[in-house]
Amino acid sequence: MTKLVVCAYHNVGYRCLEELLKQGAEVALVFTHEDSPTEEIWFQSVRELAERHGIPYLTTDINEPVNVAKVRELAPDFLFSFYYRNMIKPEVLEIPRRGALNLHGSWLPQYRGRVPVNWAVINGETETGATLHHMVTKPDAGDIVDREKVAIAFTDTAFDVFTKVTEAAVTVIARSYPLLTAGTAPRIPMDLAEGSYFGGRRPADGLIDWTKSAVQVYNLIRGVTHPYPGAFTYLDGKKVIVWSAWPAEGSAAPGAIVSAAPLLVGTGEGLLELRSLQAEGENEVAADQFTAAALSAEKRFTHS
């Protein structure tokens, strides 16, 4: 039987590991992560899935010498990485006899790197995907085994797209795993010149630039709204998170409040209707419940 070591976290990790188990894979060891106390945990637990199936698991970094030695001792045929957050070092990638593969949440080579779903939404893309590829030293750069496209609707949030990408990831694993075990899976060289690379995002990167167009600001908002930290601005020096918005016709100075009902704000091109907001230290509310005193015509949203 084909022996696997699986590095997994988040919903993609959970669902892909689940699919491998459905196909009868022998998973000798799972590497996952401890949940961060500072992060909103809205996704399924790989650790709990491993426990239910009696699979040994570790939450320490696979790259630690003791763990590298453990993987060598197990001598797996394949190593899979499904949304594992640590870069896996070359010495580990060389251990599995038949290859080390990663499931990436984009249509590679587009959106290599971190948080590809969020970046795709923020940049207003109309499609993305899930890609299974061989791992090499350079991130998200090895030969492609299989890909599945995902449509991004203009109304989709990053959470909506991530849900679609998760389903696409399962489809890819379901198709690819039998081919990998049979030794008939394709290997398509990745042309990095046709792609793009993006780094990680911090909560501070959610600051709204009102000089951008209404559509660009809207894309940022839906790209980092729940369960992510949210896009934010300032009103009278107080931080305000904008959880939901919609582009509208019209024009006004960037950040200027045009009306309170609906709550319309000027941008570099067009107006943006703010629909759900949360002032610092307060609860999230619909725009019509937002503090009336804050919405006078003299007010405007700012960068700080």
Side-chain angles (χ1 to χ4, degrees):
M1 183 178 287
T2 305
K3 185 189 295 185
L4 312 180
V5 168
V6 176
C7 301
Y9 194 60
H10 223 284
N11 280 352
V12 168
Y14 183 101
R15 293 289 307 285
C16 288
L17 175 58
E18 186 178 53
E19 176 59 31
L20 290 174
L21 295 173
K22 284 180 182 177
Q23 295 207 26
E26 179 191 352
V27 181
L29 180 62
V30 168
F31 286 93
T32 188
H33 302 287
E34 296 288 349
D35 294 332
S36 170
T38 63
E39 183 177 359
E40 182 178 348
I41 306 302
W42 51 272
F43 41 84
Q44 293 171 296
S45 171
V46 169
R47 175 182 55 78
E48 291 177 4
L49 178 62
E51 286 176 344
R52 283 201 302 274
H53 287 268
I55 302 170
Y57 69 89
L58 294 168
T59 57
T60 49
D61 190 341
I62 191 174
N63 299 296
E64 293 182 6
V66 64
N67 291 337
V68 175
K70 179 67 175 176
V71 175
R72 282 206 178 96
E73 179 185 344
L74 289 170
D77 294 286
F78 291 101
L79 183 148
F80 285 97
S81 176
F82 305 131
Y83 269 61
Y84 189 65
R85 291 180 170 178
N86 298 335
M87 286 289 295
I88 301 175
K89 293 182 178 180
E91 65 173 324
V92 180
L93 300 181
E94 294 168 358
I95 296 172
R97 182 173 61 87
R98 302 182 64 185
L101 298 102
N102 175 59
L103 193 292
H104 188 72
S106 78
W107 182 264
L108 288 175
Q110 297 295 326
Y111 290 94
R112 297 170 52 240
R114 301 288 187 178
V115 294
V117 168
N118 301 81
W119 277 118
V121 175
I122 290 167
N123 288 336
E125 302 289 356
T126 58
E127 64 181 19
T128 185
T131 303
L132 183 67
H133 67 94
H134 286 267
M135 285 188 280
V136 293
T137 302
K138 197 178 186 71
D140 308 321
D143 293 350
I144 293 170
V145 174
D146 194 6
R147 296 180 290 187
E148 179 79 5
K149 280 193 174 180
V150 165
I152 303 177
F154 191 64
T155 54
D156 281 343
T157 66
F159 176 80
D160 296 327
V161 179
F162 190 85
T163 300
K164 295 179 184 180
V165 167
T166 301
E167 295 304 321
V170 175
T171 297
V172 167
I173 295 303
R175 278 198 306 245
S176 300
Y177 184 65
L179 300 179
L180 287 165
T181 57
T184 59
R187 291 189 65 144
I188 305 165
M190 199 182 308
D191 186 353
L192 300 186
E194 294 183 357
S196 53
Y197 184 89
F198 289 83
R201 291 186 61 84
R202 305 163 299 161
D205 296 326
L207 178 63
I208 295 171
D209 179 356
W210 293 104
T211 65
K212 292 188 175 181
S213 72
V215 170
Q216 288 175 306
V217 177
Y218 165 71
N219 287 339
L220 172 64
I221 291 166
R222 70 191 180 108
V224 296
T225 191
H226 298 300
Y228 303 101
F232 64 95
T233 184
Y234 291 88
L235 189 64
D236 291 336
K238 189 174 186 179
K239 184 178 179 180
V240 177
I241 299 175
V242 182
W243 292 112
S244 177
W246 189 257
E249 294 184 355
S251 62
I257 297 171
V258 175
S259 69
L263 177 50
L264 293 171
V265 181
T267 71
E269 182 182 342
L271 300 177
L272 191 68
E273 180 188 344
L274 309 189
R275 294 181 171 178
S276 179
L277 306 93
Q278 184 175 6
E280 190 170 21
E282 299 179 17
N283 294 326
E284 178 182 351
V285 295
D288 59 4
Q289 296 177 297
F290 202 62
T291 309
L295 304 178
S296 64
E298 294 79 22
K299 303 280 186 178
R300 73 168 52 198
F301 290 102
T302 63
H303 292 81
S304 59

